[in-house]
């Protein structure tokens, strides 16, 4: 790996080198390296780009890292990663994509991640997106996540896109069985002329299934954001979707939360709020000695922490 | 020393502060007066949140009238809001660290919280959001001012909403603060027990300084005033 790639790796996965344990590292459109562990098998797909990650039932406290780095301008790829999480497993999966685009061609990574969460399994999925480079080419990422959670399963998704991605269209669809839970924490910041669209479509099919989707975003400069969330309660279930956006400068944000109850015991709530930083928040931090700019940064950083 | 010379503040056609002249350099100075008399406005004018329409404000002889909120804060002016502000995402530790101007160790942050009667373990990582009650926020606000330790600390009705915490503790916080800073603590309050610890009391009425003097002289007059407005007295 060269310096640029190592720095991208640090940005998206907090890693300084190839990680310990099971991993798969994809650089510039090819599989750079992978390692399976005793309980986590990583298999390269033969029919299309991507990997299968197979986690044995009962695997506890293990993690998998699957970062993707792009440092060539003009490179476009579509990758399929399938995660099979065995019954009763408890694992952490760290994904992420970093693009350094120093040229004039667009660099684009689209990943379709499918999760099959087994009975009573628990997964924490962390995904960071980051872009950089001073070329005119755009950094584009279009992640799609498809989740199926079996009875009693639990998945927590933490996604963050804080810097440098010019255009993103993120789609997450999920289907939950009895007693299954899906928690989503999304953090997003757009600046410059960026555009980000994020869409959630969640079917609560099983009795006592539940979901909590929380999106916090900051839109600066001339950037535009669109948030769509659709939770369908098809059984006795609970669903909550919350979109909270700070708008700055000349940005534009649209939030469209939608909830649909197909069952009398479906309890669904949606909340959406968009607003600029409150003047009194700035004043409070200024009375602590921060300049207006520092106060703004502190508020934004806290909000997206 | 804080000095106000002929300070007036007007919003549209209403004059909220009228020709205020004050010299403040005692340990504890209380500002009191009826609702709407301009107490909070006066505090905000001193902190730089409002710019006076006319007049001058001096801190240790230096004219700060045209200085920003930040510049005044860095010169040693602190202001505890009457209604503390909530922040999504920022924690109690973040705020106390910002107030102290440095990254604090957990044990130092805990000291400030314990002083205002909050068990640090329960609060240090809490967000300053709607999950905190008004009383809890008030105490955190006081802890922040304590962490700043500046030569002038202004409190806008610090006792409001902290009924369950005894006044004695609040007073002890002010006394300890003074021991550390040797500065002036300016407290807006209606509470007799707070007024009672003041060295001097300022009474504002209708945007003017009605009385300013030693507590012993001002308080008896205040407490003996016949309650009621001219309307209820049939005037």
């Amino acid at each position: 790996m060269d310096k640029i790639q190592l720095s991208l790796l640090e940005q998206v996965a907090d890693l300084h080198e190839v990680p310990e344990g099971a991993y798969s590292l994809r650089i510039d459109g090819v599989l750079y390296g992978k390692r399976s562990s005793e309980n986590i098998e990583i298999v390269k797909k033969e029919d299309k780009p991507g990997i299968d990650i197979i986690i044995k039932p009962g695997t506890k406290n293990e993690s998998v890292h699957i970062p993707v780095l792009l440092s060539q301008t003009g490179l476009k790829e579509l990758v399929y990663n399938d995660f099979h999480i065995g019954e009763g497993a408890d694992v952490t999966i760290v994904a992420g994509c970093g693009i350094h685009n120093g040229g004039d061609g667009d660099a684009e990574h689209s990943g379709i991640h499918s999760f099959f969460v087994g009975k009573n399994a628990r997964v924490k999925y962390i995904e960071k997106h980051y872009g950089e480079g001073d070329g005119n080419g755009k950094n584009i990422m279009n992640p799609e996540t498809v989740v199926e959670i079996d009875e009693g399963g639990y998945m927590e998704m933490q996604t963050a896109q804080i810097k440098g991605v010019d255009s993103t269209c993120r789609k997450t669809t999920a289907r939950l069985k009895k007693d299954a839970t899906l928690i989503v924490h999304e953090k997003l910041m757009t600046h410059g002329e960026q555009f980000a669209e994020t869409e959630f479509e969640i079917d609560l099919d099983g009795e006592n299934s539940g979901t909590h989707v929380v999106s916090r975003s900051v839109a600066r400069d001339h950037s535009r954001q669109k948030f769509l969330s659709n939770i369908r309660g098809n059984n006795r279930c609970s669903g909550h979707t919350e979109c909270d956006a700070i708008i700055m400068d000349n940005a534009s944000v649209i939030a469209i939360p939608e909830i649909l109850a197909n069952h009398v015991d479906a309890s669904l709530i949606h909340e959406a709020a968009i607003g600029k930083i409150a003047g009194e928040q700035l004043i409070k931090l200024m009375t602590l000695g921060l300049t207006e700019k520092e106060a703004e940064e502190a508020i934004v950083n806290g909000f997206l922490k | 020393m804080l000095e106000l010379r002929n300070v007036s503040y007007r919003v549209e056609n209403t004059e909220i502060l009228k020709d205020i002249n004050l010299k403040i350099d005692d340990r504890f100075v209380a500002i009191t007066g009826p609702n709407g008399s301009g107490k909070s406005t006066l505090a905000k004018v001193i902190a730089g949140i409002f710019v006076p329409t006319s007049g001058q404000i001096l801190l240790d002889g230096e004219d700060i009238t045209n200085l920003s909120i930040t510049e005044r804060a860095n010169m040693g002016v602190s202001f505890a809001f009457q209604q503390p502000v909530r922040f999504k995402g920022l924690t109690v530790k973040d705020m106390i660290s910002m107030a102290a101007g440095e990254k604090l160790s957990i044990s130092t942050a805990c000291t400030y919280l314990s002083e205002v009667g909050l068990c640090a373990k329960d609060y240090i990582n809490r967000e300053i959001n709607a999950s905190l009650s008004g009383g809890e926020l008030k105490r955190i606000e006081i802890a922040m001012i304590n962490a700043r330790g500046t030569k002038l600390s202004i409190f806008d009705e610090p006792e409001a909403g902290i009924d369950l915490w005894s006044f004695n503790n609040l007073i002890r916080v002010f006394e300890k603060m003074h021991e550390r800073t040797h500065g002036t603590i300016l407290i807006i309050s209606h509470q007799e027990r707070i007024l009672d610890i003041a060295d001097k009391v300022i009474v504002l009425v209708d945007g003017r300084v009605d009385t300013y003097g030693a507590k012993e002289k001002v308080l008896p007059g205040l407490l003996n005033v016949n309650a009621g407005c001219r309307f209820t007295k049939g005037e």
Side-chain angles (χ1 to χ4, degrees):
Chain A
M1 268 186 284
D2 60 27
K3 271 189 182 167
I4 287 177
Q5 291 164 345
L6 278 170
S7 137
L8 285 177
L9 188 63
E10 191 180 347
Q11 285 288 347
V12 297
D14 291 324
L15 291 171
H16 300 284
E17 53 192 27
V18 167
E20 305 222 336
Y23 80 90
S24 158
L25 175 56
R26 187 179 175 88
I27 302 181
D28 291 336
V30 288
L31 189 62
Y32 177 86
K34 72 175 176 73
R35 185 199 296 134
S36 297
S37 69
E38 197 182 327
N39 296 318
I40 302 175
E41 195 185 353
I42 298 181
V43 185
K44 189 170 183 287
K45 279 188 189 294
E46 294 302 329
D47 55 338
K48 51 189 174 187
I51 47 174
D52 282 300
I53 295 109
I54 301 148
I55 298 167
K56 278 190 192 164
T59 303
K60 298 274 183 201
N61 302 321
E62 286 197 39
S63 61
V64 198
H65 286 82
I66 52 156
V68 172
L69 311 178
L70 263 69
S71 58
Q72 276 177 13
T73 189
L75 192 72
K76 289 186 185 181
E77 62 172 356
L78 172 62
V79 178
Y80 297 83
N81 294 337
D82 293 345
F83 302 81
H84 303 268
I85 298 119
E87 195 173 326
D90 187 348
V91 291
T92 300
I93 297 166
V94 183
C97 178
I99 299 181
H100 177 98
N101 188 356
D104 291 334
D106 292 351
E108 183 173 336
H109 172 81
S110 298
I112 299 179
H113 286 186
S114 301
F115 289 83
F116 304 95
V117 182
K119 279 187 186 167
N120 301 314
R122 289 178 74 88
V123 190
K124 186 172 184 179
Y125 175 61
I126 302 165
E127 184 186 273
K128 259 196 208 174
H129 284 169
Y130 170 78
E132 61 177 30
D134 44 17
N136 291 323
K138 288 197 162 104
N139 298 332
I140 302 168
M141 292 185 200
N142 294 320
E144 188 174 338
T145 311
V146 181
V147 179
E148 280 181 30
I149 310 180
D150 211 335
E151 286 183 16
Y154 173 95
M155 179 162 169
E156 184 182 335
M157 258 178 89
Q158 291 180 8
T159 67
Q161 178 178 309
I162 303 300
K163 217 180 156 201
V165 181
D166 294 298
S167 169
T168 191
C169 184
R170 167 190 294 276
K171 187 166 183 188
T172 304
T173 52
R175 203 163 264 283
L176 277 67
K177 289 195 179 160
K178 185 170 181 281
D179 298 322
T181 307
L182 174 67
I183 309 286
V184 179
H185 286 280
E186 176 184 73
K187 294 194 168 164
L188 180 66
M189 183 159 84
T190 52
H191 51 97
E193 302 290 330
Q194 295 173 352
F195 173 69
E197 178 174 327
T198 169
E199 181 179 352
F200 294 91
E201 210 167 288
I202 298 167
D203 275 285
L204 299 169
D205 292 341
E207 199 177 344
N208 294 324
S209 56
T211 189
H212 192 60
V213 177
V214 181
S215 169
R216 277 192 181 178
S217 72
V218 176
R220 322 179 85 135
D221 306 326
H222 284 86
S223 65
R224 290 170 301 129
Q225 293 181 5
K226 186 172 184 182
F227 171 86
L228 294 138
S229 138
N230 186 351
I231 296 179
R232 290 185 285 261
N234 306 321
N235 207 324
R236 174 198 296 271
C237 61
S238 62
H240 177 215
T241 163
E242 181 186 331
C243 161
D244 210 337
I246 291 180
I247 182 166
M248 298 166 78
D249 312 312
N250 296 302
S252 153
V253 180
I254 175 167
I256 311 171
E258 188 177 326
I259 47 180
L260 167 69
N262 286 321
H263 192 281
V264 70
D265 288 319
S267 165
L268 307 172
I269 299 170
H270 76 65
E271 293 174 79
I274 304 169
K276 65 176 182 181
I277 294 174
E280 58 173 13
Q281 291 183 325
L282 290 172
I283 289 172
K284 178 68 231 176
L285 297 192
M286 285 158 74
T287 65
L288 301 181
L290 277 69
T291 62
E292 190 172 348
K293 189 107 189 102
E294 288 165 344
E296 201 177 274
E297 285 303 313
I299 292 164
V300 166
N301 289 340
F303 186 70
L304 293 177
K305 193 164 55 187
Chain B
M1 186 179 71
L2 176 74
E3 187 178 351
L4 280 80
R5 291 183 188 159
N6 309 106
V7 168
S8 295
Y9 179 69
R10 173 194 292 272
V11 177
E12 290 168 1
N13 290 324
T14 312
E15 200 156 34
I16 314 231
L17 296 177
K18 298 164 187 165
D19 196 28
I20 305 272
N21 285 285
L22 288 169
K23 279 186 184 173
I24 299 168
D25 63 353
D26 293 86
R27 281 183 322 156
F28 299 121
V29 177
I31 306 178
T32 194
N35 295 127
S37 57
K39 303 183 295 297
S40 292
T41 304
L42 178 61
K44 286 177 181 169
V45 162
I46 297 169
I49 297 168
F50 295 155
V51 180
T53 319
S54 60
Q56 260 186 317
I57 304 167
L58 294 97
L59 185 65
D60 290 336
E62 193 175 332
D63 189 338
I64 60 165
T65 318
N66 295 313
L67 296 190
S68 68
I69 303 171
T70 310
E71 286 167 318
R72 293 188 205 197
N74 289 328
M75 282 178 73
V77 180
S78 293
F79 179 46
F81 287 28
Q82 187 179 10
Q83 284 166 330
V85 184
R86 291 179 159 95
F87 294 87
K88 278 184 185 165
L90 289 175
T91 62
V92 172
K93 183 162 184 271
D94 292 334
M95 293 298 283
I96 294 181
S97 290
M98 271 190 264
E102 58 182 345
K103 216 168 180 167
L104 290 182
S105 68
I106 297 221
S107 70
T108 315
C110 287
T111 312
Y112 294 122
L113 286 173
S114 314
E115 279 187 24
V116 293
L118 294 177
C119 173
K121 168 167 79 64
D122 298 338
Y123 286 92
I124 197 88
N125 292 318
R126 291 272 298 273
E127 283 187 24
I128 310 263
N129 61 18
S131 73
L132 290 168
S133 74
E136 288 169 326
L137 284 168
K138 282 295 259 201
R139 295 188 198 199
I140 293 162
E141 186 84 359
I142 295 166
M144 280 196 270
I145 304 302
N146 208 0
R148 277 179 58 72
T150 50
K151 59 185 168 192
L152 175 63
S153 305
I154 309 164
F155 293 87
D156 195 349
E157 297 199 25
E159 76 281 4
I162 53 172
D163 305 337
L164 291 174
W165 191 43
S166 77
F167 270 95
N168 291 340
N169 284 328
L170 182 60
I171 288 164
R172 208 168 301 137
V173 169
F174 292 143
E175 282 167 350
K176 273 179 116 172
M177 199 181 291
H178 180 263
E179 276 169 30
R180 280 198 312 125
T181 63
H182 302 292
T184 293
I185 297 174
L186 192 58
I187 310 168
I188 297 177
S189 180
H190 299 285
Q191 282 292 334
E192 194 183 335
R193 289 179 66 184
I194 298 268
L195 301 182
D196 205 42
I197 64 157
D199 301 307
K200 283 189 177 162
V201 176
I202 300 166
V203 184
L204 276 190
V205 177
D206 194 23
R208 288 182 198 280
V209 176
D210 181 82
T211 326
Y212 178 32
K215 169 192 68 184
E216 294 77 12
K217 287 190 177 165
V218 179
L219 272 194
L222 265 184
L223 301 172
N224 290 333
V225 167
N226 254 338
C229 64
R230 281 161 46 187
F231 177 75
T232 56
K233 285 190 277 188
E235 291 174 17

